[in-house]
Amino acid sequence: LESALKIMSSKPGCSKVTKKSKNPEKRSLGRKKMMEASENALRNSPQLEKKLVFPGDDLGPVFHLPFAIGPGVRLSSNQLISTHFGMVLQRKDGIWIDFCEKAYFPYAGDRVVGIVVGKWMDYWKVEIGAWKTAIIHYLSFENATKRLRPLVNIGDVIYGRLKHDIEPELVCKDEMGKANDFGILPGDGMMLKMPPAYARRLLGRKKQVLLAVGKEVPCELTIGMNGWVWIRASTARQRMAISHALQLGNMVPHHRQAEVIKAAFKNFTSNEFK
C-alpha cells in the first residue's frame, strides 16, 4: 500500500492521500476557533459615528458578510457610497442614511402600506406613493392557489413586502410562505400619509411616539416604510386624535414628544377614552 501511494504521488495530477482526523474534539475545536475569529471580526469592525454626509461620500469598505445596506447607501467595488444628504447610521449588521424625502423610493425588502387601485390580468395594481404603481400577483398571498384566489377589491388597503424595487412588486407573505401580519387590512381604519423618513424613525428602537400614543388610547397601527400609516381604533374621534398626535411627534424634539402627545390627547378628552 505504501509503494502504491508513493507511485500515485509521483504521477502528475495525483495528490497525496491524507488521513482524516478521527478525533472529534479536534474538529470541534477548529469550528470553535473559526466562530471566535468571525465574532472578533464583527466586534472589532470600525463603527461610523453619527455624522452628516453628502452624495458621493465614501463610507468605507464592507468588513464582513452578511451586511445589510439600507436606504441612501450603495455598494461599489466593495466600497460603501452615500447617495443622499443626511445622517449616516451604522450597526454591526448594516448601514443606512436617515434623510428627508417627500417621495418614497422603493427598496427590496421594505414593508409598505398600499391601496388597491386596479386590476391587470392576474395582478392587482397597488398605489404605494412611489414613482410607479406596484403590482401584486394573486399567488403572493398565503394559501392562495389557482382555484382558491384571494378576494381583493379596488380600494382595499394592503400591507405587504416589496419583492422587487426596480419594477415594484409586492408579496403578502414572508420568506417561509406565512402571512405573518401581511395581507388585506380591516376596513374600519383611517389612512395617514407622512414623510418616509419620519416613518423610519417611528419604527426605530426607541419608539417614543408609539409608546406615548399607546398609553393614551388602545389602538392598532400599521406603519409602512413608504410613510403610509393605517390607524385602527374604536371610534372615529380616537382615530382623529391618534392622527393628530402622530403628526405633532414629527414637529417637536425627541425629549418633548411624550409631553406634547399627552397634551394633544387632552384636547380630545371625552367619555370615549374612559
Side-chain angles (χ1 to χ4, degrees):
L1 179 62
E2 292 179 358
S3 60
L5 290 176
K6 289 180 181 179
I7 295 172
M8 289 178 62
S9 61
S10 61
K11 290 183 178 180
C14 295
S15 58
K16 292 184 179 180
V17 179
T18 57
K19 294 183 179 180
K20 292 185 178 180
S21 175
K22 295 183 179 180
N23 191 352
E25 294 182 357
K26 290 184 178 180
R27 292 199 297 268
S28 61
L29 184 61
R31 295 194 193 99
K32 187 176 181 180
K33 288 183 178 180
M34 291 177 62
M35 292 177 63
E36 290 178 354
S38 61
E39 289 177 359
N40 291 332
L42 287 174
R43 194 179 299 111
N44 298 328
S45 61
Q47 298 289 318
L48 289 178
E49 298 179 356
K50 292 184 179 180
K51 63 178 182 180
L52 287 175
V53 294
F54 291 86
D57 284 357
D58 188 359
L59 304 178
V62 176
F63 290 93
H64 56 83
L65 294 174
F67 193 80
I69 299 176
V73 182
R74 66 179 177 88
L75 184 63
S76 177
S77 301
N78 202 37
Q79 290 291 123
L80 298 171
I81 306 297
S82 65
T83 60
H84 290 76
F85 169 78
M87 188 75 69
V88 62
L89 304 170
Q90 184 185 24
R91 296 187 305 193
K92 291 182 179 180
D93 57 347
I95 185 173
W96 70 98
I97 293 178
D98 186 12
F99 58 93
C100 294
E101 56 178 341
K102 294 183 179 179
Y104 170 65
F105 293 91
Y107 290 93
D110 281 359
R111 302 185 175 196
V112 298
V113 176
I115 301 176
V116 180
V117 295
K119 194 176 188 303
W120 175 68
M121 297 180 66
D122 292 334
Y123 293 86
W124 286 280
K125 296 181 179 180
V126 183
E127 179 62 45
I128 59 174
W131 60 276
K132 188 175 183 179
T133 304
I135 59 174
I136 183 170
H137 196 267
Y138 70 88
L139 291 177
S140 297
F141 293 85
E142 184 183 14
N143 299 328
T145 61
K146 290 184 178 180
R147 292 185 177 181
L148 185 61
R149 298 194 179 194
L151 181 60
V152 181
N153 300 315
I154 295 177
D156 287 347
V157 180
I158 288 182
Y159 179 55
R161 177 174 58 89
L162 276 174
K163 184 179 180 181
H164 304 293
D165 47 13
I166 299 178
E167 294 291 335
E169 182 177 352
L170 290 171
V171 292
C172 284
K173 52 187 177 182
D174 57 13
E175 292 80 1
M176 303 300 294
K178 301 297 182 180
N180 195 16
D181 297 332
F182 293 122
I184 302 174
L185 299 178
D188 56 341
M190 171 184 174
M191 179 71 78
L192 173 64
K193 298 180 181 180
M194 303 183 302
Y198 180 49
R200 289 195 294 268
R201 288 195 293 271
L202 287 177
L203 295 171
R205 289 185 173 182
K206 296 183 178 180
K207 298 181 175 62
Q208 295 180 356
V209 175
L210 301 182
L211 292 175
V213 171
K215 289 180 180 179
E216 300 297 331
V217 57
C219 61
E220 295 181 15
L221 299 178
T222 305
I223 304 175
M225 297 293 288
N226 56 341
W228 292 16
V229 182
W230 185 247
I231 304 172
R232 190 184 183 195
S234 301
T235 63
R237 188 174 181 83
Q238 290 181 355
R239 292 192 289 269
M240 291 293 295
I242 295 169
S243 173
H244 182 60
L246 291 177
Q247 295 179 62
L248 285 177
N250 191 29
M251 303 177 184
V252 296
H254 293 283
H255 64 277
R256 291 198 57 204
Q257 286 177 340
E259 175 189 351
V260 171
I261 289 174
K262 186 176 181 179
F265 273 100
K266 285 185 178 180
N267 297 331
F268 288 85
T269 302
S270 66
N271 295 329
E272 296 177 89
F273 293 95
K274 297 180 181 180

